[in-house]
Amino acid sequence: MKYHTVRTITFLRGHIPSCDRCWLILALVFILLLATPPARAATLEEVLAMTPPDAPGPIARRDMDIGAGRQDMDIIPRKHTVMLQGPSLLDQPDTHYILQNDIVAPATAFRIAASRVTLDLNGHSVVYNESEEGCGVHLEKWWLEDVQVANGFIRQGSNQCAGEVHGMGCNPVFSLSAKKLRLGGLSLTYSGRDVAGIFVRGSLGADIGHCELIDNGREVTNRHQGIDAIRVTAVDDIGLDTVRIHHNVINNARQMGIRVHGKTADINNNEIHINSVVTNSFGVSISDGVIHQNKIFGAGAHPIGIWPGPGVKVHTNYVETQNTAASGEYGSAGSAGLRMTWGKNDGVEAWCNTFLVLGKEDGLPNGMDSWGRALFVGLPDAKQSALFHHNIIAATAQGTDAKTVAVGVVCLNTSPDLVFRENIIASDWCPILLGDDYGHSGGYPLFENNDIIRIGDNSDFHTIKNLYRYRPATGRFLNNRYVDAEQDDIAFPSRAEDVQDVIMEKTITLHLLNPDGSPVRETHVAMTLSNEATTQERATDGHGEVILHVPVQAYTNRNNNGGHFFRPRWVKYTKVPIQIHAGGYVSGAVLNPQRIDDVFTIQMR
């Protein structure tokens, strides 16, 4: 508590009668009245309303308008027109087929066997698979080009035929490989075992927009193959149009929302609701491209918002997940806002997103905890990199003691170039988890210039935790700001069998001089600290100055003399050898970070 005492006592001494006891009593009264109340911990609502400093764009919010929903699309003009009144084969090129009425088809409703065809459902309803196996619309020839299906309602009928284990078959829309496929203004309802909503087996350019997909099925035979609401395999060797999937609404997806294999995908402005029945159910997964301006809500057994491939850019998405059902494989499998694992996420960049995980003690029907990690990440290859910046990353147990982690580095990380910069990282249980029983946090991932925030007053809260004593738990922390949290509030196992090492760093300025005493101006500099495997590379400014990140102290169990690991304890760095390469010169020095507050001068030799 802060007390404003000095001015109060001075004022009293000049304005009350000369009575030492009187002025002392009154001074104490004023002190009590002016005492600053204890700081109130941030609420989740306050965290979600924040904006990271210098964000490069708007932050995704739950109530943002993304324009998703079924909407009639413009029809592509064709040379010919044919009216339809029942199930049909569409085999005339350059033809606009127009449905005149609602229909019920015993098997497949429409078979398309020509290019430059538009199937205009004209606002009508189509029921397929009423008594025999079939699809709603089937593009039955390879590499049909410029086909459009638009503006109507397709529903799987009473027969409820099943697809194959990867979702192909009995779909509302199924296509063999196609060029420039356009699907829009459709409402698709399906429920058979292993049935996907839209299955495009191969695509050279596709546009799927303003559709509604409703998955009423709950059966998945093989979760490793996956059942999707929208699945496109994109062929990437010709370089035609990007696969665009946009402004769709997906409801009640049993496993996966949108998945695109191949290059390149642009997934934007979709609203996706996952009701997961199996492990690894996600809203969006692509192998290349960009995921942006989507809203993803996950519930069920193991919901995950986004699973990006190498080099994928992820920005301005709102993702909210909570596991609400038990997994047949793992019991309570948790949830995640974004997952990256198995070394396939090199070059991922994520910014201006909101990732929110909710949990609750005893939150599942079987009495198990609902829990999760907003970021479920790691890079098993030390040469890989990924950057998360200007995001809101939050997790809350909603007043209970469930495991709710904002950033979980738990996927066998060995890379120092897994970087979290300028984010808002908040939790009521643990903002940053460096390893658990899924995997470890080696490689010293970097947390720089983040706001690390404690939500609420959970007694089990710690700023940094490790839950796995048998593997590494490492990290570097530089210039972070702590709100109702402390950087030294670290909970590590006392008897770990591998390295536990959290390094707190600071930024210093080096002033580099040539051998003749002149500044080393605008020169590339490589600086290597003896305690790090990586080299910091930057350019000096016009004054010969360059910044350097140096360790100040560490919470570590390292035993520098060999032998068993110690119990974790705080250690200060007082001697940090450095080697510098600049302008053809090499020089070394020993830094004491405890005594450098401003500029350290080194003359090159």
Side-chain angles (χ1 to χ4, degrees):
M1 222 179 248
K2 299 178 182 177
Y3 296 96
H4 306 288
T5 59
V6 177
R7 291 185 179 179
T8 302
I9 294 175
T10 302
F11 169 83
L12 289 168
R13 280 179 170 165
H15 292 82
I16 63 173
S18 178
C19 170
D20 288 346
R21 181 174 297 176
C22 292
W23 75 257
L24 182 58
I25 292 173
L26 287 175
L28 292 173
V29 171
F30 268 79
I31 289 171
L32 293 174
L33 290 174
L34 296 176
T36 303
R40 178 180 60 83
T43 66
L44 177 63
E45 291 73 19
E46 290 169 337
V47 168
L48 296 179
M50 294 177 179
T51 299
D54 301 318
I59 303 300
R61 311 288 184 185
R62 199 178 203 273
D63 61 354
M64 67 181 182
D65 182 6
I66 59 173
R70 198 199 77 81
Q71 176 181 311
D72 282 354
M73 306 301 292
D74 293 337
I75 296 300
I76 299 172
R78 305 296 185 188
K79 184 180 294 186
H80 310 290
T81 300
V82 173
M83 302 301 174
L84 302 175
Q85 294 183 330
S88 303
L89 171 65
L90 286 56
D91 60 355
Q92 298 182 34
D94 208 359
T95 300
H96 178 191
Y97 290 91
I98 306 174
L99 184 62
Q100 298 296 293
N101 47 266
D102 297 345
I103 68 168
V104 177
T108 294
F110 299 106
R111 296 157 51 213
I112 299 178
S115 294
R116 301 185 307 282
V117 162
T118 291
L119 171 56
D120 181 359
L121 299 180
N122 196 25
H124 292 294
S125 295
V126 175
V127 177
Y128 72 97
N129 182 219
E130 184 63 18
S131 57
E132 303 173 32
E133 182 174 322
C135 295
V137 177
H138 184 179
L139 280 70
E140 63 180 20
K141 288 190 174 182
W142 293 97
W143 296 117
L144 295 177
E145 185 170 359
D146 189 16
V147 171
Q148 180 186 36
V149 181
N151 301 348
F153 303 81
I154 304 175
R155 176 173 61 84
Q156 188 175 14
S158 302
N159 184 259
Q160 295 291 293
C161 65
E164 299 181 14
V165 292
H166 50 272
M168 183 173 68
C170 302
N171 316 105
V173 178
F174 171 79
S175 173
L176 294 173
S177 299
K179 299 179 183 180
K180 298 183 180 178
L181 174 66
R182 294 172 175 86
L183 306 175
L186 301 173
S187 178
L188 309 176
T189 304
Y190 54 100
S191 47
R193 184 180 75 248
D194 297 330
V195 172
I198 296 172
F199 196 107
V200 181
R201 191 165 178 179
S203 172
L204 288 171
D207 189 293
I208 303 172
H210 286 291
C211 294
E212 175 188 38
L213 293 93
I214 303 168
D215 183 358
N216 289 329
R218 299 284 84 197
E219 294 180 87
V220 176
T221 300
N222 185 340
R223 62 96 169 171
H224 299 283
Q225 297 292 330
I227 303 301
D228 314 87
I230 300 175
R231 179 170 179 170
V232 178
T233 301
V235 180
D236 58 8
D237 59 351
I238 296 180
L240 296 180
D241 293 344
T242 293
V243 173
R244 293 187 64 240
I245 302 177
H246 59 96
H247 296 96
N248 302 288
V249 174
I250 296 172
N251 285 312
N252 205 43
R254 71 188 82 176
Q255 186 176 6
M256 302 172 187
I258 297 171
R259 178 164 49 157
V260 179
H261 289 299
K263 297 183 177 180
T264 300
D266 184 352
I267 313 299
N268 68 87
N269 293 81
N270 301 283
E271 182 172 323
I272 302 168
H273 296 262
I274 303 297
N275 188 4
S276 160
V277 300
V278 291
T279 305
N280 286 341
S281 300
F282 48 76
V284 178
S285 178
I286 63 175
S287 56
D288 183 77
V290 59
I291 302 168
H292 61 108
Q293 293 170 288
N294 302 284
K295 298 202 303 190
I296 302 171
F297 302 89
H302 188 215
I304 298 167
I306 295 172
W307 198 331
V312 169
K313 308 306 177 188
V314 180
H315 73 86
T316 326
N317 301 282
Y318 179 86
V319 181
E320 179 181 317
T321 65
Q322 179 176 6
N323 70 311
T324 57
S327 160
E329 287 182 278
Y330 299 111
S332 182
S335 74
L338 180 146
R339 178 175 183 175
M340 45 190 298
T341 188
W342 310 127
K344 298 179 180 179
N345 306 104
D346 185 27
V348 166
E349 182 182 3
W351 69 96
C352 292
N353 304 283
T354 293
F355 298 107
L356 171 63
V357 156
L358 305 175
K360 193 172 184 180
E361 193 173 18
D362 302 325
L364 301 189
N366 63 359
M368 302 180 77
D369 286 355
S370 170
W371 64 278
R373 316 172 187 93
L375 294 186
F376 177 8
V377 295
L379 295 170
D381 186 337
K383 297 180 180 179
Q384 294 182 343
S385 64
L387 173 62
F388 295 84
H389 63 98
H390 298 96
N391 302 285
I392 296 175
I393 308 164
T396 176
Q398 305 177 83
T400 70
D401 289 332
K403 174 184 175 181
T404 45
V405 175
V407 176
V409 184
V410 298
C411 297
L412 310 179
N413 187 68
T414 62
S415 173
D417 290 322
L418 176 59
V419 177
F420 307 89
R421 182 175 290 130
E422 299 284 0
N423 301 287
I424 293 170
I425 302 173
S427 173
D428 54 8
W429 189 82
C430 177
I432 298 169
L433 180 65
L434 301 177
D436 62 13
D437 57 0
Y438 186 85
H440 61 260
S441 174
Y444 294 90
L446 174 63
F447 294 82
E448 181 180 4
N449 290 329
N450 302 286
D451 288 300
I452 300 173
I453 301 174
R454 176 176 184 171
I455 300 173
D457 57 359
N458 186 345
S459 61
D460 198 28
F461 174 91
H462 294 282
T463 307
I464 304 169
K465 293 185 181 184
N466 169 40
L467 302 179
Y468 197 59
R469 60 191 291 258
Y470 300 103
R471 299 300 298 275
T474 67
R476 293 174 294 145
F477 291 77
L478 172 68
N479 297 336
N480 297 289
R481 298 166 292 276
Y482 297 84
V483 181
D484 300 315
E486 303 293 336
Q487 76 166 9
D488 58 357
D489 182 7
I490 301 175
F492 278 180
S494 60
R495 295 287 186 181
E497 297 184 18
D498 210 321
V499 61
Q500 317 274 296
D501 197 19
V502 171
I503 300 174
M504 302 299 174
E505 300 180 337
K506 72 177 182 180
T507 301
I508 66 172
T509 299
L510 298 182
H511 185 207
L512 303 184
L513 302 178
N514 289 305
D516 62 3
S518 63
V520 181
R521 296 186 177 94
E522 299 176 350
T523 301
H524 180 267
V525 179
M527 301 166 287
T528 305
L529 301 177
S530 65
N531 69 306
E532 294 185 0
T534 58
T535 297
Q536 299 179 43
E537 298 188 44
R538 299 181 182 88
T540 57
D541 63 15
H543 303 287
E545 294 184 346
V546 63
I547 64 169
L548 174 70
H549 303 157
V550 295
V552 178
Q553 59 179 343
Y555 188 69
T556 184
N557 68 348
R558 283 189 180 278
N559 181 350
N560 294 329
N561 296 319
H564 295 292
F565 291 104
F566 291 128
R567 290 176 181 268
R569 79 282 187 206
W570 284 101
V571 174
K572 291 185 177 181
Y573 285 86
T574 57
K575 295 181 180 180
V576 180
I578 180 175
Q579 188 176 66
I580 301 172
H581 295 255
Y585 299 105
V586 179
S587 189
V590 177
L591 308 179
N592 183 349
Q594 311 300 323
R595 296 183 178 180
I596 302 174
D597 294 322
D598 189 10
V599 178
F600 188 85
T601 299
I602 297 177
Q603 189 162 13
M604 306 302 295
R605 303 296 182 189

